[in-house]
Structure formats: structure tokens, C-alpha cells
Amino acid sequence: MINLFVTYRCNLACPYCFARPLAARHPGDITAQGFAAFLDWASRAAVPAVAFLGGEPTLHPHLAEMIEATTEAGMAAVLFSNGLFSRELARQLAPRVANFVINYNQPASYARSQQEQLHHTLATLQEQGARITFSRNFSPQGTQWAYLMDAIEQYGVTAVRYDISRPAADAANDYCRPEDARHLLRQVVEFVRACEARGVRTGLDCSICLCDLDPGDRRYLEQVSMKFRGICHPSMDVHPDLSASYCLPMHDVLVPDVTAFADVAALMRHFAQAVRPLRTAHAPAGCADCQEFLRRCQGGCLAVQRSAVAETAKESLS
């Protein structure tokens, strides 16, 4: 699957969001010509699925047409959304979208009108028989998760994607610093256990530093969570101008035109080579002596490592 960010406009301002600064760097939505070029490349590159993201992708006025064109071209369409879109759009998208990944925040963070709209969207998708996956990002200021258990039952959700928050390009968001990781991961383990007790499958979105987990918790997550790992892989995030990044937190590891690559494998090889020096440049002290370093673990998020070094350098100058 490859990620297509069709717009960086959004109707929420989540404190942990690492996409927000990119709205200034990519102010325009993807154009009809840009999407046609992307779809032609994706078809030739044998891309199996396209994830539509933002910002909030449902703010793009032609999202439904783009998703329809994607499925007509033989690729699955996945939609990552905050769920704040109309029932009419939900009905229109339900037959075409293979998975609605809904980022469900703490109820107190929504205005009443937003709570109502989110409920109507989820209820409509449920009525249409759509597949719904919840997404939960754990951050230092956002560790609550009990509310999600009620929503899982209410809307018949059977899968949850989770992660710890990552730094934005300006590191101004509420993200998980190295000193936060052990506490946040204890919350994650409790959350995963609650999901598994309800028969809900879980999956880690990116990677974590394995030694931030107690050995028993690590073994448990390795057994039950999909994509649980200590080494990250390229997200392959395509921006509205068709440039592409390794991932949003590592936005500057960039290619100017994704369509210049023969296929997804070539793009992945390019990004893997580009970040190879970074896997050792800022690794935490002690990682080099660990038998699992660069075999099963890279010592944590590369963007977090880089931000930690930048913060230390800034403090030394102050």
C-alpha cells in the first residue's frame, strides 16, 4: 500500500498531529491532473492499494471520484479520516472503500456538533456494512482509552491500529519523547489487552524501541499485535504535488517526483538507502552494544532520535 495525501487542510487541530506543519509546505490540494498522473503511475507500478489521507481527506471536493477511479483501476482504496464527514458521503464511499480507518479521539476533545457528526458517520458506515478500523495515537497528554472500548462495541469494530505519537517537522506537537516512552507503552499494553479480551485485533503503526517494554509485555505484543516491530520501514507518503517522503516525521527525506520510480520496490530501496546512515547516527547510548541493534531494533523512532539531538544541541547553546 502507498499513502496519498490529497490535502493537508483539516477540520480538527489534534495536539499530537505531525501533519499540520506540512499545510504550509504543501498548501494546495492534489489536482485532477496530478491525481491522473499518480493513478497512471500506480497502475504501471502494480500498487495493490492506495490509502487516502490528509489533513482530512474528505475535505477534498473530488475525493469520491478519486476513490472510484482507484477501484476501477483494480486497486483497493483505504480511507484514513477523523470521521467528521456527512452521511451522504459515507453512503457514497461505503461500497468503494475497503477499510475506513477512523482516528477516534477522546470525546471531551470534540464540540457537541462534532460528537453528533462522528456518531452519524460511524452509524451510517455500520448500516452500510463497511469495514471500520479505529485508530488511537498515544501521546504524553493523551493516554486515555477506556472510551474507545464503548465505541468498539457500539459500532461493531473488530480491529484497532495504535501508535505512540511522533514529532512533527517543527517538533511543536505533543509527541512521545524518549523519557515518555516507557510510561506510554505501559498504557499501550493495557489498551491492547483490553482489545484482545474483546476479540478486537490490534496492530502497531510504526516501530518502537523494544527495550522500552518490560520483557513480558514485549513477548505479549509480539504474539498478538500485527506489524509489531523495532525497526521502521518507509511509509512512502506521497504529497499533493507528487513529491514523496520516507514518512511525514522524516518529511525532508524526500524525492521530488514519485512517478520517476519504476515501481514501489524501487521507491522503497531508495528510501531504505537514504536512511541507512541515520539508523546509527543518533541511536541512543548503549544500542551499538545490543545484539538486537539493527537486527530487530533501531533504538526507537528515527525522527524522535533526531529531535532529541536537536533539543540537546539547543539547550547547550542557551
Side-chain angles (χ1 to χ4, degrees), residues 9-318:
R9 294 182 294 122
C10 193
N11 47 8
L12 285 179
C14 304
Y16 56 79
C17 179
F18 51 69
R20 192 179 310 127
L22 297 180
R25 302 188 187 193
H26 303 279
D29 296 353
I30 193 170
T31 64
Q33 295 82 0
F35 179 73
F38 169 81
L39 191 63
D40 177 67
W41 170 80
S43 298
R44 289 185 285 105
V47 172
V50 177
F52 290 81
L53 305 93
E56 173 47 45
T58 61
L59 296 180
H60 195 293
H62 303 296
L63 176 68
E65 295 95 315
M66 291 189 290
I67 287 177
E68 181 177 2
T70 299
T71 57
E72 289 293 332
M75 289 168 275
V78 177
L79 179 63
F80 285 73
S81 171
N82 59 29
L84 300 181
F85 55 92
S86 70
R87 282 177 280 191
E88 290 74 21
L89 183 58
R91 295 188 187 98
Q92 188 176 3
L93 295 178
R96 294 282 185 178
V97 173
N99 190 12
F100 290 85
V101 183
I102 304 296
N103 196 52
Y104 202 126
N105 291 329
Q106 303 169 46
S109 68
Y110 300 110
R112 180 176 294 275
S113 60
Q114 292 173 328
Q115 290 181 0
E116 293 174 352
Q117 186 174 28
L118 180 58
H119 165 68
H120 290 318
T121 298
L122 291 171
T124 300
L125 292 176
Q126 185 182 27
E127 291 168 1
Q128 297 293 312
R131 178 185 174 190
I132 304 171
T133 296
F134 279 159
S135 177
R136 180 70 177 98
N137 290 290
F138 288 81
S139 67
Q141 298 176 27
T143 59
Q144 296 88 349
W145 53 263
Y147 71 91
L148 208 53
M149 299 299 107
D150 296 331
I152 283 171
E153 183 175 349
Q154 182 176 4
Y155 302 110
V157 173
T158 59
V160 173
R161 160 238 174 254
Y162 66 89
D163 202 1
I164 53 177
S165 54
R166 314 289 171 166
D170 58 4
N173 60 322
D174 179 33
Y175 73 92
C176 177
R177 290 168 169 80
E179 61 269 24
D180 303 318
R182 291 190 68 85
H183 170 70
L184 280 181
L185 287 172
R186 283 194 290 269
Q187 304 300 313
V188 166
V189 172
E190 291 181 10
F191 171 70
V192 170
R193 289 186 185 280
C195 289
E196 292 291 333
R198 291 165 172 78
V200 175
R201 294 178 294 111
T202 60
L204 176 65
D205 186 56
C206 190
S207 66
I208 61 169
C209 181
L210 296 180
C211 64
D212 284 332
L213 283 164
D214 294 332
D217 289 340
R218 172 184 166 177
R219 288 192 296 271
Y220 174 72
L221 292 181
E222 286 175 334
Q223 291 170 359
V224 303
S225 271
M226 297 177 291
K227 298 201 304 180
F228 180 81
R229 60 198 178 201
I231 295 179
C232 68
H233 301 290
S235 294
M236 299 183 295
D237 293 338
V238 181
H239 307 293
D241 63 359
L242 300 192
S243 62
S245 295
Y246 180 89
C247 65
L248 291 199
M250 301 284 287
H251 172 269
D252 55 318
V253 182
L254 185 77
V255 298
D257 183 4
V258 69
T259 68
F261 290 81
D263 52 29
V264 173
L267 182 62
M268 287 192 70
R269 286 194 298 270
H270 173 87
F271 280 136
Q273 183 175 4
V275 302
R276 187 170 293 128
L278 301 178
R279 295 194 189 278
T280 55
H282 305 308
C287 281
D289 298 325
C290 176
Q291 292 183 348
E292 294 191 306
F293 185 55
L294 299 186
R295 293 180 175 86
R296 300 192 67 184
C297 183
Q298 65 189 20
C301 173
L302 298 179
V304 170
Q305 293 177 17
R306 192 167 62 171
S307 294
V309 170
E311 284 187 359
T312 301
K314 184 177 180 180
E315 290 172 359
S316 67
L317 295 174
S318 60

